[in-house]
Amino acid sequence: MMKNNILTVGADLGNDAFKIIGPTKRELFILNIIAPWHERRVISDDTRYPLNLLEVEVTTKGDNLGKYFVGGMAYNFNRGILKERTVADRHNGKAKDKGTLIVLLTSIAVSLIKSNTKKIKEKIVLGTMLPTEEYFRNNKENVELFKDKLIGTHHIKFLNPAFDGIEVEFEIIGTSIQPEGLCAINAIMYDDNGDLLDEYERDYSERTILGFDIGALTSDVIVTHNFELRTFFGIDKGTIDPLNRIVDYIKTDYKVTIPRHKVDNAIIKNEKLLVYGQDIPSFKELSKEIIDFEGRQLADEFSSKAAAAGVQLPDIGLLILCGGGSLLFKDMITSHLSRIPMIFSDNAVMLNAIGAWKNAVKYKNENLEDTITNLVAATKE
């Protein structure tokens, strides 16, 4: 097997959306939602956005999991049967979750699609992650369980006519699974081959560096010193907390339920939120007030949990923030932790996925040898 024929994929298994870095470093953002597939009475779909047309049949290691709508397709055509992660899933792991596996395998398949090719077969190394608490629980048993699910051959058949009958079969021959937050640190401090950048080796070798991943349901903090993992902690707060409060306010005052994904999208894009064609007065002001309150709560909990983990704020040499929540809570984090050196990535949402991709490249370079190299070695013996 030639190492150059093996592709690398990075995947951030976000509670709201999966972020994928494909073999060509193409970025994909796919909502973490599935719904049972059904025949639709639609004359034609809007084919400008193929990621909103994911209806698939999923087979993993010979086991047919069935047909599903995934991502935007599930959001639009769920018939009331929608599987998405909510506050109730805060402590429900991802390694054993069937929905997580379905969205992940579908997302990988999308990243492998090539133009003018209907039958695609690839071998890949996957870099991905688990929440810190789940990752380290019971001597990392969830890591091994997840790895066992992933290693092997998977087949995705795309059912929507927009994909013209494309089928993708891929074999995952290796995985690099890390705790969330650590991948973000790797994205910032390491090059595309997984080697530490000179500037960080020179300036941060004796510093305590934290990765602070603010997600949808939870936030994960990784503590490193001299580039070695020291400890970790999780916080039961994320973007879902202010979004749910805004949703509740709208439901109470306007007697209508708005999906939190729609509210989130309006806030991120700084757009009006329309209800029956009318925008909600003071929506931006209300959102800012609630987000600022939750941001202060998050900053306070970060400080107290860091102290409980033996990390004093003056000892933090660098705080690397990632995840959609780092954008949502940026003002409050900056204000309340202002003396700590911080990095807010311009691509914060994709940072974990970028780090996972770099981990996959490093795994491939360190663990997989070219068949030709092996043959030459065998000949000399």
Side-chain angles (χ1 to χ4, degrees):
M1 183 191 310
M2 294 295 294
K3 186 159 53 176
N4 289 341
N5 293 334
I6 300 168
L7 305 179
T8 49
V9 177
D12 176 2
L13 318 179
N15 285 305
D16 265 358
F18 278 29
K19 281 73 74 175
I20 306 293
I21 303 293
T24 61
K25 298 189 73 174
R26 176 191 174 201
E27 298 181 358
L28 298 173
F29 186 92
I30 298 175
L31 288 177
N32 184 10
I33 308 173
I34 64 171
W37 182 87
H38 60 84
E39 294 279 359
R40 299 177 301 127
R41 289 186 175 182
V42 176
I43 296 174
S44 64
D45 286 310
D46 185 348
T47 58
R48 292 175 300 170
Y49 308 105
L51 290 185
N52 288 333
L53 300 175
L54 298 178
E55 42 185 318
V56 296
E57 183 173 3
V58 180
T59 302
T60 173
K61 297 196 278 191
D63 182 17
N64 189 297
L65 300 184
K67 298 178 181 180
Y68 296 90
F69 295 131
V70 175
M73 200 76 173
Y75 180 82
N76 292 321
F77 295 99
N78 60 77
R79 295 203 299 194
I81 307 173
L82 187 68
K83 176 67 173 69
E84 63 177 335
R85 292 179 71 86
T86 65
V87 171
D89 294 302
R90 267 194 167 130
H91 300 290
N92 293 337
K94 298 177 181 178
K96 301 176 183 178
D97 183 59
K98 181 179 177 181
T100 295
L101 184 64
I102 290 168
V103 179
L104 175 58
L105 297 180
T106 301
S107 301
I108 293 171
V110 173
S111 77
L112 299 176
I113 290 177
K114 296 178 284 190
S115 58
N116 302 318
T117 308
K118 284 192 177 183
K119 304 289 184 181
I120 299 167
K121 293 185 70 172
E122 302 287 2
K123 294 182 184 294
I124 72 166
V125 171
L126 175 66
T128 189
M129 64 209 71
L130 288 171
T132 52
E133 299 289 345
E134 181 180 7
Y135 183 94
F136 290 105
R137 190 178 300 138
N138 298 331
N139 295 317
K140 301 183 183 179
E141 70 173 13
N142 290 313
V143 178
E144 291 304 313
L145 186 151
F146 198 34
K147 180 179 178 181
D148 289 343
K149 278 188 174 184
L150 295 173
I151 295 294
T153 301
H154 313 277
H155 186 275
I156 306 296
K157 182 178 181 180
F158 291 86
L159 306 176
N160 191 284
F163 287 86
D164 196 24
I166 289 176
E167 297 184 35
V168 180
E169 181 176 295
F170 57 93
E171 181 184 1
I172 300 177
I173 63 173
T175 61
S176 173
I177 303 174
Q178 287 194 345
E180 293 177 0
L182 186 57
C183 287
I185 292 177
N186 293 345
I188 292 289
M189 300 197 308
Y190 291 79
D191 64 20
D192 284 357
N193 292 316
D195 297 321
L196 186 64
L197 293 169
D198 290 341
E199 61 187 284
Y200 287 99
E201 188 168 18
R202 181 183 65 247
D203 299 334
Y204 292 90
S205 60
E206 294 300 325
R207 297 195 189 188
T208 297
I209 300 173
L210 275 64
F212 191 2
D213 178 13
I214 307 175
L217 302 184
T218 60
S219 298
D220 294 273
V221 181
I222 288 289
V223 181
T224 68
H225 185 77
N226 198 23
F227 311 115
E228 296 290 334
L229 181 61
R230 296 301 184 216
T231 188
F232 66 95
F233 56 91
I235 302 173
D236 284 345
K237 284 188 177 297
T239 61
I240 198 170
D241 297 293
L243 293 177
N244 277 353
R245 290 187 61 194
I246 295 168
V247 168
D248 288 343
Y249 170 84
I250 295 171
K251 184 176 181 180
T252 300
D253 279 36
Y254 293 88
K255 310 303 184 213
V256 62
T257 300
I258 304 292
R260 78 168 190 275
H261 299 289
K262 185 174 181 178
V263 173
D264 189 24
N265 189 62
I267 292 171
I268 291 173
K269 293 184 178 180
N270 196 29
E271 295 177 345
K272 296 178 179 180
L273 185 65
L274 301 178
V275 176
Y276 295 117
Q278 301 295 320
D279 65 292
I280 296 178
S282 304
F283 171 70
K284 293 180 181 179
E285 292 77 8
L286 167 72
S287 298
K288 186 179 187 311
E289 179 182 336
I290 293 175
I291 289 167
D292 286 353
F293 174 81
E294 294 291 347
R296 287 191 293 271
Q297 298 289 313
L298 178 63
D300 289 344
E301 193 156 350
F302 168 85
S303 300
S304 62
K305 286 212 166 187
V311 180
Q312 304 304 316
L313 298 190
D315 295 332
I316 300 175
L318 183 64
L319 183 62
I320 297 175
L321 292 107
C322 68
S326 68
L327 303 176
L328 199 67
F329 296 123
K330 182 176 181 178
D331 290 346
M332 285 298 102
I333 296 292
T334 303
S335 172
H336 282 67
L337 304 174
S338 59
R339 301 185 68 180
I340 300 174
M342 298 182 197
I343 291 178
F344 285 90
S345 170
D346 292 336
N347 199 4
V349 172
M350 299 300 297
L351 205 59
N352 262 322
I354 294 169
W357 182 85
K358 291 182 178 183
N359 292 340
V361 173
K362 185 174 183 179
Y363 179 98
K364 171 182 168 180
N365 291 338
E366 293 181 352
N367 295 280
L368 303 178
E369 296 183 4
D370 288 342
T371 302
I372 291 179
T373 303
N374 293 340
L375 287 173
V376 171
T379 303
K380 291 181 178 180
E381 290 180 356

